[in-house]
């Protein structure tokens, strides 16, 4: 097994990067990724660090979009509730759960499972191929 500059396996370093993304610590993930990109020479390790950051950002954007959709629906449903309160005199809740909240929780769960699988695979210096993402990373780092 190839060793990193820290004296540990590059697989362990990659696993730490993925676990930083799993812990929902974006600053920790960025610090780990910047260390790998600027201090390590192993190409697989560098690609893994970039992949971790890109996947984290993709899931963050999905969560942000779902939050915005939930806010828009919240405004619409509040307006409907406000209008119906004048007609019926009832101002209670129209729905008992939030579909966007449920989808956000599902996205958060999928991100956690994906980062955990990637961290476990990193110990063996393996990864999951994401096709176009991997090709774009190869192109940028080469």
């Amino acid at each position: 097994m190839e060793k990193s500059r820290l004296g540990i396996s590059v697989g362990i370093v990659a696993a730490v990067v993925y676990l930083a993304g799993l812990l929902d610590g974006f600053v920790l993930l960025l610090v780990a990724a910047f260390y790998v990109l600027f201090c390590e020479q192993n190409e697989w390790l560098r690609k893994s660090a970039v992949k971790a950051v890109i996947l984290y950002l993709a899931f963050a954007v999905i969560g942000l979009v779902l939050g915005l959709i939930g806010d828009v629906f919240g405004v619409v449903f509040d307006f409907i509730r406000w209008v119906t309160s004048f007609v019926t005199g009832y101002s209670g809740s129209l729905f008992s759960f939030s579909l966007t909240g449920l989808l956000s929780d599902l996205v958060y769960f999928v991100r956690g499972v994906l980062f955990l699988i990637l961290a476990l695979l990193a110990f063996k210096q393996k990864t999951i191929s994401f096709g176009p993402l991997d090709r774009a990373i190869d192109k940028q780092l080469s």
Side-chain angles (χ1 to χ4, degrees), residues 27-116:
V27 173
L28 180 61
L29 174 62
L30 281 181
V31 168
F34 278 124
Y35 165 76
V36 168
L37 289 175
F38 292 113
C39 296
E40 296 293 339
Q41 300 301 320
N42 184 290
E43 284 299 313
W44 178 85
L45 180 58
R46 294 167 57 100
K47 290 175 187 177
S48 294
V50 172
K51 184 186 291 188
V53 171
I54 290 172
L55 288 174
Y56 187 93
L57 291 174
F59 278 104
V61 168
I62 292 169
L64 179 69
V65 168
L66 286 174
L68 289 174
I69 290 170
D71 290 345
V72 169
F73 280 136
V75 169
V76 170
F77 289 142
D78 284 344
F79 177 75
I80 292 170
R81 188 174 330 141
W82 179 72
V83 170
T84 58
S85 70
F86 284 117
V87 176
T88 64
Y90 176 71
S91 62
S93 178
L94 293 174
F95 300 101
S96 61
F97 73 72
S98 166
L99 181 60
T100 55
L102 183 65
L103 289 174
S104 294
D105 290 345
L106 180 64
V107 167
Y108 186 77
F109 175 76
V110 168
R111 185 194 76 175
V113 169
L114 179 63
F115 272 78
L116 185 61

Side-chain angles (χ1 to χ4, degrees), residues 18 51 55 114 118 127-135:
Y18 285 121
K51 184 186 291 188
L55 288 174
L114 179 63
L118 287 169
T127 190
I128 297 173
S129 176
F130 290 100
L133 174 63
D134 288 332
R135 286 191 292 278

